[in-house]
């Protein structure tokens, strides 16, 4: 059963919440939201570089200062470049979003097919993942020239993905529960053996010892 990304009970819900928030921001303000997200990414890189430098200086006696300084320089340079050329980075971010939506959409379809073996999954359950994957393909081919239109399409696709992730997380949590009931862990038998006080290793040793004695008598 495919459970990657859903075994942690909160991971799917967190991904869905983040996607819904980002999607709503991009849909409400398609003209400025993408640039805002790019600048936030640049600020995070610069902040990460500064933190690495401070941590490296504070723990220079433990070694690794050179590597942390290198990380600092790379993070700060990337952050400054993103601030200087936000348009170029924004177009690249659209491509990354398109690839991510396509991959996530396909993965959700596979997860729902896997879950259908344990819980009821209707044909309508696949609609949102298909739309999500279709939005990813649309962003990759870039049929729209206006950046605001591309941002709006990306926001809608991300919003659809967030809603789809909510539904998939709910279905997968039920499917995992049913799977655990139908196929209990093999460790349960080992635990029962331990609880009963039976040491199977001694039984095996006794069998080997008896077999060796029979062989010597022959």
């Amino acid at each position: 059963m495919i459970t990657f990304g859903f075994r942690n009970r909160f991971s799917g819900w967190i991904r869905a919440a983040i996607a819904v928030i980002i999607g709503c921001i991009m849909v409400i303000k398609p003209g400025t939201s993408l640039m805002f997200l790019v600048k936030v990414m640049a600020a995070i890189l610069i902040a990460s570089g500064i933190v690495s430098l401070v941590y490296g200086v504070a723990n220079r006696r433990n070694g690794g200062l050179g590597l942390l300084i290198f990380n600092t320089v790379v993070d700060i340079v990337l952050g400054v470049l993103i601030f200087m050329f936000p348009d170029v980075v924004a177009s690249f971010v659209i491509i990354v979003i398109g690839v991510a939506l396509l991959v996530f959409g396909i993965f959700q379809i596979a997860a729902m097919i896997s879950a259908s073996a344990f819980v009821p999954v209707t044909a309508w359950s696949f609609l949102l993942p298909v739309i999500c994957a279709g939005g990813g393909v649309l962003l990759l081919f870039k049929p729209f020239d206006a950046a605001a239109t591309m941002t709006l399409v990306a926001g809608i696709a991300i919003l659809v993905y967030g809603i789809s992730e909510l539904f998939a997380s709910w279905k997968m949590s039920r499917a995992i529960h049913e799977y655990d009931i139908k196929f209990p862990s093999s460790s349960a038998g080992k635990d029962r053996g331990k609880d009963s006080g039976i040491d199977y290793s001694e039984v095996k040793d006794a069998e080997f010892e008896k077999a060796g004695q029979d062989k010597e008598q022959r």
Side-chain angles (χ1 to χ4, degrees):
M1 180 180 177
I2 299 175
T3 58
F4 179 76
F6 293 99
R7 265 297 174 184
N8 187 311
R9 68 173 63 183
F10 300 110
S11 59
W13 305 104
I14 292 173
R15 288 195 302 269
I18 293 174
V20 169
I21 292 172
I22 294 176
C24 288
I25 293 173
M26 295 178 73
V27 169
I28 293 172
K29 294 186 176 181
T32 59
S33 58
L34 186 59
M35 289 296 177
F36 173 74
L37 292 175
V38 168
K39 291 179 179 179
V40 168
M41 182 173 61
I44 291 174
L45 282 172
I46 294 175
S48 175
I50 295 173
V51 170
S52 295
L53 179 61
V54 173
Y55 180 82
V57 172
N59 297 273
R60 58 185 178 274
R61 294 182 180 178
N62 297 329
L65 178 60
L67 179 61
L68 289 173
I69 290 177
F70 176 77
N71 291 338
T72 297
V73 172
V74 171
D75 289 343
I76 292 178
V77 169
L78 286 176
V80 171
L81 288 175
I82 291 174
F83 266 121
M84 292 175 62
F85 306 101
D87 296 334
V88 176
V89 177
S91 61
F92 177 74
V93 168
I94 289 293
I95 296 176
V96 173
I97 292 174
V99 173
L101 288 172
L102 178 59
V103 172
F104 289 154
I106 294 174
F107 179 76
Q108 280 188 358
I109 293 172
M112 296 301 287
I113 293 174
S114 177
S116 64
F118 300 94
V119 293
V121 178
T122 64
W124 290 103
S125 303
F126 296 92
L127 179 61
L128 292 179
V130 169
I131 294 175
C132 175
V137 173
L138 195 64
L139 292 175
L140 289 176
F141 284 99
K142 291 185 177 181
F144 310 108
D145 294 330
T149 305
M150 291 294 296
T151 303
L152 179 61
V153 172
I156 293 173
I158 293 174
L159 188 58
V160 169
Y161 161 72
I163 298 172
S164 178
E165 187 71 14
L166 284 174
F167 183 76
S169 298
W170 173 60
K171 280 290 185 181
M172 287 301 295
S173 63
R174 291 181 57 196
I176 291 171
H177 178 68
E178 294 296 328
Y179 180 86
D180 291 338
I181 293 176
K182 190 173 183 180
F183 301 103
S185 175
S186 60
S187 62
K190 299 178 181 178
D191 293 338
R192 285 195 296 269
K194 293 179 180 178
D195 294 339
S196 62
I198 300 174
D199 189 347
Y200 292 102
S201 61
E202 293 182 0
V203 174
K204 292 181 180 179
D205 291 340
E207 290 176 354
F208 286 131
E209 184 178 353
K210 182 179 179 182
Q213 291 175 355
D214 293 341
K215 189 174 181 181
E216 291 176 359
Q217 291 175 359
R218 293 177 186 175

